[in-house]
Amino acid sequence: MSRIIVVTSGKGGVGKTTTTANLGMALAQRGHKVAVVDADFGLRNLDLLLGLENRIVYTAVEVLAGECRLDQALVRDKRQPNLALLPAAQNRTKDAVTPEQMKKLIGALTKAFHFILIDCPAGIEMGFQNAVVAAREAIVVTTPEVAAVRDADRVVGLLEANDIKRMYLVINRLKPAMVEKDMMMSVKDVQDILAIPLLGVVPDDEKVVVSTNRGEPLVLSTETQSLASTAFANIVRRLEGEKVPFLDLTPPPEDFLSRMRRFFGQKP
Amino acid sequence: MTSDPFISAAGTPIVEQAVPQVRFKSEGDRLLLLLPLESEAAATSWADLWQQFKQRLNANERFWQAHTPVYLVARDRLLDGRQLQAIADALSDAQLYLKRVYTSRRQTAVAAATTGFSVEQQSPAQGFEAGKALAEPLYLETTVRSGVEVRHAGSVVVLGDVNPGSSIIADGDVLVWGALRGVAQAGAKGNLRCVIMALRLEPTQIRIADFMARAPEQPPDQYIPEVAYVALEGIRIARAADFSKDRLFPPES
Ligand SMILES: Nc1ncnc2c1ncn2[C@@H]1O[C@H](COP(=O)(O)OP(=O)(O)O)[C@@H](O)[C@H]1O
Ligand SMILES: [Mg+2]
């Protein structure tokens, strides 16, 4: 059965699209057939990060309107043929699509792809509903900041109400030096509040910005191995079920409270 | 009772207090699913109603026998066929089944009947008593997350954390077997004897009756189980281990 995973956060600008692009590419590199779906209607940029903007002919909206077939809208990545992008419409409003339509669209993708990653828009309105309706798993991305964690917590609650039981946490843009000086929330601080399993910690890294501007996901570049690209590669292996030790940012040993939580039947 | 042909014969009448939020209540070997009044000032939207319903369902699953019949007390809430079906589906995922719908709205009764549920139409006033006694405690086995507000006309017990950005508003006590980091209000109807307890009391704000207290600017290095209660000078916090002694044998002042 295909795995349908929404990448979401609540707050904007925390790294959902970056995460979707890198995980999509890394999964494809490991031999999975992957479709990445841009559900950020009206503010699309997954195509930019993947460097596929100039190859878009049709979008999800034309597929739904019956103006083209699904495979005509899918943009195959020439560098990595296992990867395809279903672009969002740029010019139409986000109300152009309903949750029912989205469900049908994703359902059709499961016939040809092992992994379907959905890049969710910010917020918890209609666009969010569209992005999560078909998903069976969720990657919740947050930065180690109070406001981002608050929004992520809200989103976890909404995902629970949407029957998405498998949720994983990605903490993005961590600055270990700042955590050391007690100026930034630590991995443990974030986990303490969100209480969902940790999938990975991605350090803040200038190379992410460079790769974004080049339209070339970090995990694709072979010249330089950055800590961030290793982090994304590790996340993908954990998604596959492998136990990969966390980079040098291993969270401290289980404390009293998370033991307690496990006792209550929740995953720490 | 009306004489509409599609409305089934009466079952056991349901007499129930008003609820501020969606609530499950065990009654013998059946379960009542109570919805708040739609005509109330702060009417709950369907989206909020749904979230409350799912949260209560998920937070109490462990306590229910499989195949327990559920009686939906929809009161004056307008529900269409799709919404009723969604409720029935979610119940059946939790191995419960929707047995009958009670409603005071003709439209809801019609929707229920056409969707295939047995339904009983009640007159708006019927079956609801404005009780003075507190409702039985609301027991939640879950993390109460940001954006969620839990209101209950009795005490609230949470097995889990109450996160920043959420709030618990109880007419009785608030007991959190976990970290209380959100807003908690006990004795919301004015009862000064109500208390707030948590394994880890680091709330954004606590209120008891009309008293209010904020968390200290400087958080303590170590958290121990504590109780907040109202004393002469306002809200006081005591170690849980000392609290019952102090209450029963107040120290000479
Ligand atoms: N680990 C990181 N290190 C440095 N910059 C990052 C990192 N992750 C994301 N960014 C930058 O943050 C900005 C927002 O990222 P994006 O993925 O578009 O967020 P979202 O999709 O959540 O709005 C982009 O400019 C991106 O390059
Ligand atoms: Mg984005």
Side-chain angles (χ1 to χ4, degrees):
Chain A
M1 201 161 69
S2 325
R3 292 179 65 179
I4 310 173
I5 309 174
V6 62
V7 181
T8 181
S9 71
K11 196 168 184 298
V14 298
K16 291 177 292 296
T17 306
T18 307
T19 302
T20 310
N22 279 285
L23 296 188
M25 186 59 82
L27 280 165
Q29 285 174 330
R30 289 174 69 83
H32 302 285
K33 294 225 167 299
V34 183
V36 289
V37 178
D38 193 344
D40 203 347
F41 290 86
L43 275 175
R44 77 173 191 213
N45 50 32
L46 184 56
D47 53 324
L48 281 175
L49 264 67
L50 287 168
L52 298 174
E53 187 193 17
N54 55 9
R55 307 220 355 246
I56 295 176
V57 183
Y58 297 112
T59 72
V61 173
E62 279 89 44
V63 180
L64 288 169
E67 291 163 22
C68 73
R69 292 189 319 271
L70 179 57
D71 61 283
Q72 288 176 299
L74 285 171
V75 182
R76 306 263 164 192
D77 195 308
K78 287 205 176 116
R79 301 158 298 187
Q80 178 42 260
N82 281 334
L83 183 71
L85 163 75
L86 180 61
Q90 182 73 289
N91 52 340
R92 319 239 187 142
T93 65
K94 48 186 184 294
D95 307 319
V97 178
T98 68
E100 285 71 30
Q101 290 177 314
M102 200 66 182
K103 227 174 170 166
K104 254 176 69 184
L105 209 54
I106 304 282
L109 286 173
T110 59
K111 295 192 179 72
F113 297 94
H114 303 143
F115 277 89
I116 296 155
L117 299 186
I118 305 162
D119 184 21
C120 185
I124 51 172
E125 311 303 324
M126 195 59 177
F128 172 82
Q129 290 300 333
N130 278 333
V132 306
V133 66
R136 285 196 282 261
E137 301 171 65
I139 293 176
V140 178
V141 183
T142 184
T143 53
E145 293 162 290
V146 172
V149 172
R150 187 74 61 94
D151 288 358
D153 191 40
R154 181 91 208 262
V155 158
V156 171
L158 294 172
L159 292 170
E160 281 167 351
N162 276 279
D163 285 324
I164 298 180
K165 299 248 159 72
R166 297 181 66 169
M167 285 183 247
Y168 323 95
L169 175 64
V170 168
I171 302 176
N172 188 25
R173 305 198 73 163
L174 190 90
K175 296 181 180 164
M178 280 183 76
V179 176
E180 201 96 307
K181 284 187 234 145
D182 227 4
M183 289 162 68
M184 182 179 254
M185 291 177 88
S186 69
V187 170
K188 184 178 171 297
D189 292 337
V190 178
Q191 269 187 297
D192 235 15
I193 294 200
L194 295 179
I196 58 173
L198 183 66
L199 188 62
V201 181
V202 183
D204 193 80
D205 192 334
E206 285 177 1
K207 298 203 184 72
V208 174
V209 183
V210 177
S211 84
T212 303
N213 293 336
R214 261 205 240 146
E216 193 175 274
L218 212 54
V219 293
L220 200 62
S221 94
T222 42
E223 30 193 285
T224 43
Q225 271 290 10
S226 65
L227 216 52
S229 80
T230 312
F232 282 124
N234 286 351
I235 289 175
V236 157
R237 287 162 62 194
R238 290 189 195 108
L239 267 182
E240 289 173 334
E242 199 181 321
K243 276 213 158 39
V244 187
F246 288 91
L247 296 176
D248 58 348
L249 313 150
T250 320
E254 197 178 57
D255 69 338
F256 176 62
L257 209 85
S258 42
R259 266 209 323 271
M260 197 75 122
R261 255 190 226 109
R262 208 179 45 193
F263 188 67
F264 299 155
Q266 292 178 5
K267 287 155 214 92
Chain B
M1 221 72 32
T2 73
S3 56
D4 287 275
F6 45 75
I7 289 169
S8 82
T12 331
I14 291 193
V15 178
E16 200 40 62
Q17 267 174 237
V19 290
Q21 287 185 332
V22 177
R23 214 192 125 193
F24 281 95
K25 190 181 176 203
S26 295
E27 206 191 68
D29 48 8
R30 65 183 188 178
L31 205 54
L32 305 185
L33 171 54
L34 312 172
L35 303 190
L37 276 177
E38 184 155 320
S39 52
E40 247 152 38
T44 327
S45 70
W46 166 251
D48 288 341
L49 200 80
W50 181 254
Q51 214 197 337
Q52 286 170 16
F53 164 62
K54 292 290 294 204
Q55 200 215 22
R56 303 292 198 271
L57 193 62
N58 293 336
N60 277 302
E61 240 159 1
R62 186 161 67 80
F63 295 111
W64 298 322
Q65 292 269 326
H67 314 302
T68 303
V70 176
Y71 293 75
L72 172 61
V73 184
R75 314 180 68 192
D76 68 345
R77 175 146 309 255
L78 265 185
L79 294 169
D80 61 29
R82 246 186 34 195
Q83 293 166 337
L84 287 163
Q85 191 61 55
I87 291 173
D89 290 347
L91 288 172
S92 85
D93 286 345
Q95 309 223 308
L96 305 169
Y97 72 98
L98 182 56
K99 173 101 185 206
R100 179 174 294 137
V101 179
Y102 291 87
T103 175
S104 63
R105 299 289 285 260
R106 201 189 130 80
Q107 265 165 289
T108 303
V110 174
T114 37
T115 323
F117 300 110
S118 85
V119 61
E120 183 175 323
Q121 198 172 342
Q122 303 175 311
S123 66
Q126 182 195 339
F128 304 116
E129 284 182 348
K132 284 256 166 56
L134 287 186
E136 63 194 65
L138 172 65
Y139 192 88
L140 298 172
E141 191 175 358
T142 185
T143 305
V144 181
R145 297 191 181 272
S146 173
V148 172
E149 184 185 275
V150 176
R151 283 179 181 273
H152 182 60
S155 296
V156 175
V157 181
V158 180
L159 282 199
D161 293 344
V162 175
N163 278 353
S166 71
S167 50
I168 309 273
I169 298 159
D171 291 356
D173 299 331
V174 176
L175 276 80
V176 179
W177 198 265
L180 169 52
R181 298 185 174 113
V183 173
Q185 183 172 11
K189 290 264 160 64
N191 188 343
L192 288 166
R193 293 186 52 87
C194 291
V195 298
I196 296 171
M197 333 189 167
L199 289 185
R200 205 178 146 126
L201 192 65
E202 39 178 333
T204 316
Q205 192 188 90
I206 49 181
R207 297 180 188 195
I208 299 173
D210 293 327
F211 292 93
M212 187 184 96
R214 272 187 302 273
E217 295 286 329
Q218 204 60 45
D221 315 327
Q222 204 199 339
Y223 286 97
I224 45 164
E226 288 175 313
V227 183
Y229 62 100
V230 174
L232 277 179
E233 60 289 10
I235 291 182
R236 273 176 62 173
I237 313 267
R239 295 159 55 122
D242 301 334
F243 173 71
S244 40
K245 276 178 276 171
D246 287 358
R247 265 241 158 159
L248 294 174
F249 313 104
E252 312 277 319
S253 48

